[in-house]
Amino acid sequence: MNRNALAAVVAIVVILACAGAYLALNGGETSDTSPGNPEETPETPETPDEGESTVDTILMTVGDATFTVTLADTDAARALAAMLPMTVTMSEYNGNEKYVYLDTTFPTAHSRVGTISAGDVMLYQDDCVVVFYESFSTSYSYTRLGTVDDPIGLAEALGSGSVTVTFSAA
C-alpha cells in the first residue's frame, strides 16, 4: 500500500471515530444546524434558579472610601454576594493584604494564581476572605471572589493594622 492510500485509510478511520464519538455524546441524534446555518436559533441565556444571585458587582467600603468590586464567576463569589450586606473587621497580614475568617464555609475552586494583583479579592481555604492591596508573586492557591475595579487609593484606605470593611450590594 502506498503512502497516499495509507493516509486516506487513516483519515477515514479518524473521521468515522469522531462521528461515532459525536453520536455517542448526543444520544445517537444528529443536528442539522451549523455555526453558519441561518436556520439556527440563538441560545437563550440560562436564567438563574430562584434565590440564586445574579449580582455582578458589589461595593466595598472602608472608612470614607468606597470601591466597586467586580465579582468572579465562581460559586464562592455568588455565596459571598448572597451574604450581603456584611461588615467585618479585617486583620493585617504581610503588609500586602487584609483578611477575615468567617463562620461560613464557601464552595472552593482553588488554583495557583501565580501573581496577586492589588485589588484582588480571594478566598483562602474555605472560610477566609482576603483583600490584597499590593501586587506580588505567590505559590499559594486561592478561589477567586472578585477584583476591585480601580484599586487606586486602596492601600491608603486599608491602612495598617485592623480595619472595618463593609461589603454591600452595588
Side-chain angles (χ1 to χ4, degrees), residues 6-22:
L6 181 60
V9 170
V10 169
I12 291 170
V13 169
V14 169
I15 290 170
L16 291 174
C18 289
Y22 175 84

Side-chain angles (χ1 to χ4, degrees), residues 91-99 130-133 136 142:
S91 300
E92 173 66 32
Y93 190 70
N94 280 342
N96 59 17
E97 66 190 74
K98 300 292 186 188
Y99 73 93
V130 184
V131 176
F132 294 94
Y133 57 88
F136 62 97
Y142 297 93

Side-chain angles (χ1 to χ4, degrees), residues 30-113:
T30 61
S31 171
D32 62 349
T33 60
S34 65
N37 187 344
E39 301 284 324
E40 183 176 344
T41 56
E43 288 186 27
T44 304
E46 290 185 27
T47 55
D49 294 335
E50 189 173 324
E52 185 177 327
S53 173
T54 59
V55 175
D56 292 331
T57 60
I58 62 172
L59 299 177
M60 181 176 73
T61 304
V62 185
D64 293 333
T66 299
F67 301 90
T68 301
V69 177
T70 297
L71 293 178
D73 184 16
T74 63
D75 289 337
R78 286 183 281 280
L80 177 67
M83 296 174 63
L84 303 181
M86 171 176 62
T87 300
V88 294
T89 300
M90 300 188 83
S91 300
E92 173 66 32
Y93 190 70
N94 280 342
N96 59 17
E97 66 190 74
K98 300 292 186 188
Y99 73 93
V100 61
Y101 282 93
L102 301 176
D103 292 333
T104 302
T105 58
F106 291 83
T108 60
H110 294 314
S111 65
R112 289 186 187 259
V113 294

